[in-house]
Amino acid sequence: AMVTLLRRNPEIQPLLAILQVKRQKDTCRINYFDICKELLKLNNDPKVHGVYLHLPAASLTSRVLGALNPEKDVDGTTDLNMGRLVRGDASEGFVPPVAGAVLDLLGKHGEFLPVKSVLLVGGEGPLRLALQCLIERSGVEVNTSHWNSKSLQTQVMQADAVVLLGAGNMEVPPTWIRPEALIIHCEPALKPGVATCVAFDLINKQPHLSFLFWKTKSDHNCNVIHSCNRWIQNQQYRPWRLRSLKLLPLTPVPSDIEISRAQTPKPVDQLAEEIGLLPEELEAYGRNKAKVQLSLLDRLHSQPDGNYVLVAGITPTPLGEGKSTVTIGLVQALSAHLKLNSFACLRQPSQGPTFGVKGGAAGGGYAQVIPMEEFNLHLTGDIHAITAANNLVAAAIDARMLHEATQSDKALFNRLVPTVNGVRTFSPIQISRLRRLGISKTEPTSLTPQEVSAFVRLDLDPSKITWQRVLDTNDRFLRKITVGQASTEKGQIRETGFDIAVASEIMAILALSDSLKDMKDRLAHMVVGTSRSGGPVTSDLVLKSNQLYVLADKLALKLVGRDGFVVTEAGFGADIGMEKFFNIKCRASGLRPNVVVLVATVRALKMHGGGPNVSAGAPLPREYINENLSLVAGGCHSNLKKQIQIAHLFGVPVVVALNVFKTDTRAEIDLVCQIAKTCGASDAVPCHHWSQGGRGCLELAQAVKEATRRPSNFQFLYPTEMPIVEKIRTIAQKVYGANDMELSPEAKSKIDYYNQQGYGSLPICMAKTHLSLSHMADKKGAPTGFILPIRDIRASVGAGFIYPLVGTMSTMPGLPTRPCFYDIDLDPDTEEITGLF
């Protein structure tokens, strides 16, 4: 078995871990918490295939045995393995090697003298239970007795074989034993290598030590190899066994939250099993949510990726056009109706829009994520973690500037490199700081006064701090603030501001990192400001980086398999979200999309065709309620056509998904689909997922499946080596339709600085209004002939991009006159949240 295993898997070595006390006299001081902690480590170590608890019998409590993973319990003592043995399913678990050795010895003895009855003396627990089950299953009568039983002598004299369990110094008098009987003495050993049981053949007066020892050891090894083979088998890709929940749409369509609460979500652990996840790859957050361990990528590294679909949209109205509902509806249709493995990869909603204008981002109607309250409100708390990490950096920056301004070099050095137990040492991050300064010394006492000064002082320029605090709330009055006004801050006053939490560079790093190491490196390279000497100051000099991450797309592409689909969403219109997705995310991830689904609505197309303004909270003008083919055609020939052309710049086929509203007429729907195809879309179909769920998106699913069969000649819009100015100009002209772009003096200065620091080869992430292809939110359709103004340019070096600020674009939204939270409440009787949409 070992030879076969190694021949098929030469990179794998079966490993048995033995957990034991260091010295026998220490057994009375065993800490059960420590044992359980070590067992959990061994359970989670993929290199360990078996665990042997070489501990005193008194230490093998239910608490200890319960901490051991039954799949690594090669001694067969856990409750699950015992249950399998009692039930007759021993092949699914492990038989205790000692019990197996005893059974074999009884069989060998029975070849010469028949064994019709066996007496088990003493002992309690797994070994006795295993022996009783195995012996009885072989057709032999089993009796049990305690050492202090009055009938012990009679029972011994009647037995063909006697097995003594945990006897210690107890012995059965030879006169009690029948001449032809076999006696087996089982005693747990506390020294590695000592046999766990000894048998004596009283006919030949010879111990069966060697047989039992080697048989027990052999069975242990076989169990380890068996466990390793099982582990290898479990690492293989598992076909999905997904059972879709039944959906019974109602007419009229109830509210989003009513629909969400009418459907009972499938338990997340059950869902995980159906899609081929291992239990250890799941980190549960309650009953309905879980995170997936990145070890999945290692397990399925050789598994081909599925089809990659990006959902983008035309330039939206302030109401949004339903990209999330289309994403969910498409995946419902692919999974439940076409029976194709598929995932929707959506971003966690920000509370800013949820409580502001837009509302939640869980989709809507019968195409939504449930429970929608959990998805829209906090989910697993990652945005809050990002907020805390971001603000820790901000606090560290201000604290460092205060300490440097109020302490001498010597005082700073003594606090940064304190003496612990009479020894002063540099931390690894401080060694890195020294190397960056060109100092090769590692002994703190060997630094010269000049080297100490250079080491302890970042010398940040307060006027050039680029790192801002963040908050996951729309609050316009935090766009510019003054900090340090308390007397305890000793005059360290400066102007700064807040951004919305999802605008934090840490959020961008969370989205773009492809491994834990990549994330740590990116976090360490975040530039937080500039020193007075003009050099960049990075976050690793301020504090050690926190670790957060998500790799949803890559995980999903492996799980769905070659013929499956992963549908992900880009924010806002294709000119913003899709362009960034292709030029930044695809460049960082190495993934290439097969098709773009471009979401449009008759409502938005009428707006781009010359219709009146659409405002959140105000009734829609009659042009948007009544049929108007002229406005629809105008919007199709301007904005829709331009967005299709943008997708074609990247060489990706486009399927237009028309998100149908109840006010849309058949003539309007047919006109949009017809014009979209003439503008270059591979297909254009109406979608009724909001009212019908996946069935209403079936036509779109079939169109997407067909589009993925066509070749995708993906290409980036620009090479990263192109100068910063030319990269911005390329986006302005080719994507937005501008004649040219114009840099402010501050933007020009920033470009010179970034080029000097070596950041010129980073891709571009434009910060522009999403309500127009231009920088002017009121210019609809496909504006041309304008000059794109670049007000400022910032760098997210850790995330890996330069982001120009176009026009008056703000990174902290404000609340409208009537925000969404007016309608959100908590019902004290039902304890349910109301008013979410």
Side-chain angles (χ1 to χ4, degrees):
M2 174 72 86
V3 172
T4 303
L5 186 151
L6 294 178
R7 186 174 63 249
R8 294 176 179 173
N9 306 276
E11 74 285 357
I12 294 175
Q13 181 67 46
L15 180 64
L16 172 67
I18 300 175
L19 190 62
Q20 63 184 39
V21 290
K22 292 181 180 179
R23 296 171 297 180
Q24 190 167 350
K25 67 178 183 179
D26 291 336
T27 56
C28 61
R29 297 200 300 271
I30 290 177
N31 186 317
Y32 295 104
F33 176 79
D34 289 340
I35 294 176
C36 293
K37 185 169 68 173
E38 290 302 317
L39 283 176
L40 290 176
K41 288 181 184 177
L42 295 172
N43 288 345
N44 295 325
D45 189 345
K47 296 179 182 178
V48 173
H49 305 105
V51 178
Y52 173 45
L53 300 179
H54 202 267
L55 300 169
S59 301
L60 299 177
T61 63
S62 57
R63 178 181 169 189
V64 169
L65 293 176
L68 175 59
N69 181 356
E71 304 306 315
K72 295 188 178 185
D73 171 31
V74 293
D75 218 28
T77 55
T78 58
D79 289 347
L80 181 59
N81 280 324
M82 280 291 109
R84 287 166 172 167
L85 183 64
V86 171
R87 195 177 57 191
D89 297 331
S91 59
E92 296 182 11
F94 296 106
V95 173
V98 173
V102 170
L103 196 69
D104 277 10
L105 187 57
L106 290 172
K108 288 182 177 297
H109 187 77
E111 293 176 3
F112 303 99
L113 294 171
V115 177
K116 297 181 179 179
S117 66
V118 175
L119 176 65
L120 305 180
V121 181
E124 296 288 347
L127 179 57
R128 175 170 164 172
L129 178 61
L131 282 169
Q132 186 170 350
C133 288
L134 291 171
I135 296 171
E136 285 179 344
R137 200 162 291 135
S138 68
V140 176
E141 178 188 350
V142 178
N143 295 299
T144 60
S145 179
H146 295 289
W147 284 100
N148 56 1
S149 173
K150 294 180 180 179
S151 61
L152 177 60
Q153 180 177 355
T154 302
Q155 289 178 295
V156 170
M157 295 181 70
Q158 293 174 349
D160 297 321
V162 180
V163 181
L164 308 179
L165 304 171
N169 295 324
M170 301 290 289
E171 295 288 350
V172 174
T175 56
W176 290 9
I177 304 170
R178 292 162 51 187
E180 69 278 10
L182 175 70
I183 182 167
I184 303 174
H185 193 290
C186 294
E187 179 67 30
L190 286 181
K191 294 182 181 180
V194 176
T196 52
C197 58
V198 179
F200 289 92
D201 181 345
L202 294 186
I203 297 176
N204 299 309
K205 307 297 182 183
Q206 294 294 323
H208 289 284
L209 173 62
S210 59
F211 172 81
L212 283 170
F213 174 75
W214 291 113
K215 177 58 179 171
T216 300
K217 192 168 184 178
S218 173
D219 284 1
H220 256 132
N221 290 340
C222 287
N223 283 353
V224 173
I225 294 170
H226 187 38
S227 173
C228 185
N229 276 319
R230 277 187 193 164
W231 179 84
I232 292 170
Q233 194 171 14
N234 282 338
Q235 299 308 297
Q236 307 305 310
Y237 179 78
R238 297 181 171 191
W240 285 27
R241 300 188 305 277
L242 184 64
R243 289 173 290 175
S244 300
L245 300 176
K246 290 184 178 180
L247 189 63
L248 302 173
L250 301 177
T251 303
V253 177
S255 69
D256 290 352
I257 203 161
E258 288 175 322
I259 292 172
S260 174
R261 288 175 180 160
Q263 181 70 275
T264 302
K266 182 179 294 185
V268 71
D269 55 347
Q270 180 185 341
L271 175 62
E273 183 180 358
E274 290 178 3
I275 62 175
L277 285 169
L278 303 179
E280 60 267 25
E281 291 170 340
L282 211 64
E283 183 181 348
Y285 282 73
R287 182 179 183 272
N288 302 317
K289 305 185 296 289
K291 289 187 177 182
V292 179
Q293 298 289 339
L294 287 181
S295 58
L296 173 69
L297 288 177
D298 296 327
R299 177 166 73 87
L300 300 182
H301 71 278
S302 60
Q303 170 72 11
D305 288 346
N307 297 286
Y308 199 28
V309 179
L310 175 66
V311 175
I314 65 171
T315 304
T317 69
L319 307 177
E321 308 317 308
K323 291 192 302 298
S324 296
T325 61
V326 170
T327 300
I328 299 299
L330 174 56
V331 170
Q332 287 174 315
L334 289 167
S335 298
H337 298 276
L338 297 186
K339 305 302 180 183
L340 295 168
N341 298 347
S342 60
F343 268 115
C345 292
L346 300 176
R347 298 162 298 165
Q348 177 184 344
S350 166
Q351 286 184 188
T354 298
F355 290 113
V357 169
K358 188 173 178 292
Y366 286 102
Q368 62 170 295
V369 179
I370 61 171
M372 63 101 75
E373 308 101 304
E374 294 187 30
F375 184 72
N376 282 318
L377 300 177
H378 315 298
L379 197 60
T380 57
D382 283 2
I383 291 181
H384 299 310
I386 289 166
T387 301
N390 184 101
N391 294 343
L392 178 60
V393 175
I397 291 168
D398 285 315
R400 186 60 179 263
M401 289 194 297
L402 170 68
H403 295 316
E404 288 187 18
T406 57
Q407 297 182 49
S408 65
D409 291 349
K410 182 178 180 181
L412 280 170
F413 188 76
N414 287 338
R415 286 175 171 83
L416 290 170
V417 193
T419 300
V420 179
N421 297 326
V423 179
R424 194 191 299 271
T425 58
F426 289 122
S427 68
I429 203 168
Q430 290 174 333
I431 294 290
S432 175
R433 161 82 170 151
L434 289 168
R435 296 293 178 270
R436 200 174 303 181
L437 292 169
I439 302 171
S440 59
K441 300 174 182 177
T442 58
E443 174 55 48
T445 58
S446 66
L447 267 61
T448 67
Q450 293 77 18
E451 289 171 338
V452 167
S453 181
F455 169 74
V456 300
R457 296 197 179 277
L458 302 179
D459 201 24
L460 275 158
D461 185 341
S463 66
K464 294 183 178 178
I465 301 298
T466 56
W467 193 266
Q468 302 209 122
R469 289 166 172 81
V470 299
L471 188 69
D472 197 29
T473 301
N474 290 3
D475 192 342
R476 67 178 70 245
F477 285 92
L478 292 178
R479 290 170 180 169
K480 181 173 283 191
I481 63 169
T482 303
V483 296
Q485 295 192 89
S487 60
T488 51
E489 274 55 76
K490 304 178 182 180
Q492 299 300 307
I493 298 173
R494 70 180 183 92
E495 281 192 352
T496 181
F498 273 77
D499 295 325
I500 190 78
V502 290
S504 169
E505 183 174 355
I506 295 176
M507 172 61 84
I509 289 173
L510 185 75
L512 294 174
S513 299
D514 63 8
S515 68
L516 178 56
K517 182 181 184 304
D518 182 36
M519 171 159 285
K520 287 191 67 176
D521 291 343
R522 288 175 181 266
L523 289 169
H525 286 88
M526 296 185 302
V527 175
V528 300
T530 305
S531 69
R532 287 186 171 88
S533 63
V537 177
T538 55
S539 59
D540 65 334
L541 303 180
V542 178
L543 80 166
K544 198 148 189 172
S545 302
N546 200 358
Q547 298 170 359
L548 313 156
Y549 67 93
V550 94
L551 287 163
D553 292 1
K554 286 192 173 184
L555 292 169
L557 284 165
K558 292 297 182 187
L559 274 173
V560 296
R562 187 193 301 275
D563 299 322
F565 288 80
V566 172
V567 184
T568 191
E569 180 186 337
F572 305 122
D575 57 304
I576 298 180
M578 184 184 72
E579 182 272 316
K580 292 183 176 74
F581 183 93
F582 288 156
N583 278 325
I584 299 175
K585 184 173 181 180
C586 289
R587 210 184 292 265
S589 69
L591 301 175
R592 301 292 182 263
N594 300 92
V595 62
V596 166
V597 172
L598 191 67
V599 178
T601 61
V602 167
R603 176 178 69 193
L605 290 169
K606 286 180 176 179
M607 179 187 71
H608 291 298
N613 288 334
V614 175
S615 300
L620 282 173
R622 58 183 178 82
E623 288 87 347
Y624 296 100
I625 299 172
N626 301 327
E627 183 178 285
N628 192 318
L629 297 179
S630 175
L631 290 179
V632 171
C636 288
H637 287 297
S638 58
N639 197 270
L640 179 60
K641 180 179 179 181
K642 177 62 176 175
Q643 302 286 14
I644 293 172
Q645 290 172 346
I646 294 171
H648 287 165
L649 287 174
F650 297 91
V652 183
V654 177
V655 173
V656 170
L658 182 65
N659 187 13
V660 176
F661 285 61
K662 62 182 180 181
T663 54
D664 301 345
T665 67
R666 170 51 59 185
E668 289 173 332
I669 293 169
D670 291 344
L671 181 61
V672 173
C673 294
Q674 175 191 337
I675 296 176
K677 293 175 187 177
T678 63
C679 290
S682 300
D683 205 346
V685 297
C687 301
H688 302 272
H689 48 280
W690 183 81
S691 58
Q692 299 177 22
R695 189 174 299 281
C697 234
L698 186 55
E699 194 176 352
L700 175 62
Q702 291 166 334
V704 167
K705 182 182 177 183
E706 182 62 31
T708 58
R709 293 173 178 167
R710 301 181 182 181
S712 174
N713 302 309
F714 180 81
Q715 61 183 7
F716 295 115
L717 187 64
Y718 54 79
T720 54
E721 296 76 20
M722 181 183 284
I724 293 175
V725 172
E726 293 308 313
K727 284 183 282 197
I728 297 173
R729 180 174 284 115
T730 298
I731 296 172
Q733 293 177 337
K734 293 188 176 181
V735 178
Y736 304 153
N739 271 6
D740 203 352
M741 60 90 180
E742 183 179 50
L743 299 171
S744 69
E746 184 175 0
K748 289 179 181 178
S749 175
K750 291 283 188 68
I751 289 176
D752 291 341
Y753 176 72
Y754 294 146
N755 284 330
Q756 178 188 353
Q757 297 301 326
Y759 306 147
S761 62
L762 294 177
I764 303 299
C765 181
M766 302 289 277
K768 180 187 77 69
T769 179
H770 64 288
L771 296 175
S772 172
L773 280 162
S774 72
H775 61 287
M776 301 166 284
D778 59 334
K779 299 296 183 184
K780 306 303 180 183
T784 57
F786 61 92
I787 303 297
L788 190 75
I790 307 300
R791 171 171 55 90
D792 192 10
I793 295 183
R794 299 175 186 173
S796 290
V797 179
F801 55 74
I802 302 286
Y803 64 102
L805 299 178
V806 179
T808 57
M809 182 67 185
S810 173
T811 51
M812 170 56 87
L815 288 172
T817 304
R818 193 185 191 285
C820 294
F821 65 72
Y822 278 27
D823 302 310
I824 300 173
D825 201 359
L826 177 67
D827 188 319
D829 297 322
T830 64
E831 299 182 0
E832 291 180 336
I833 295 169
T834 60
L836 276 173
F837 69 94

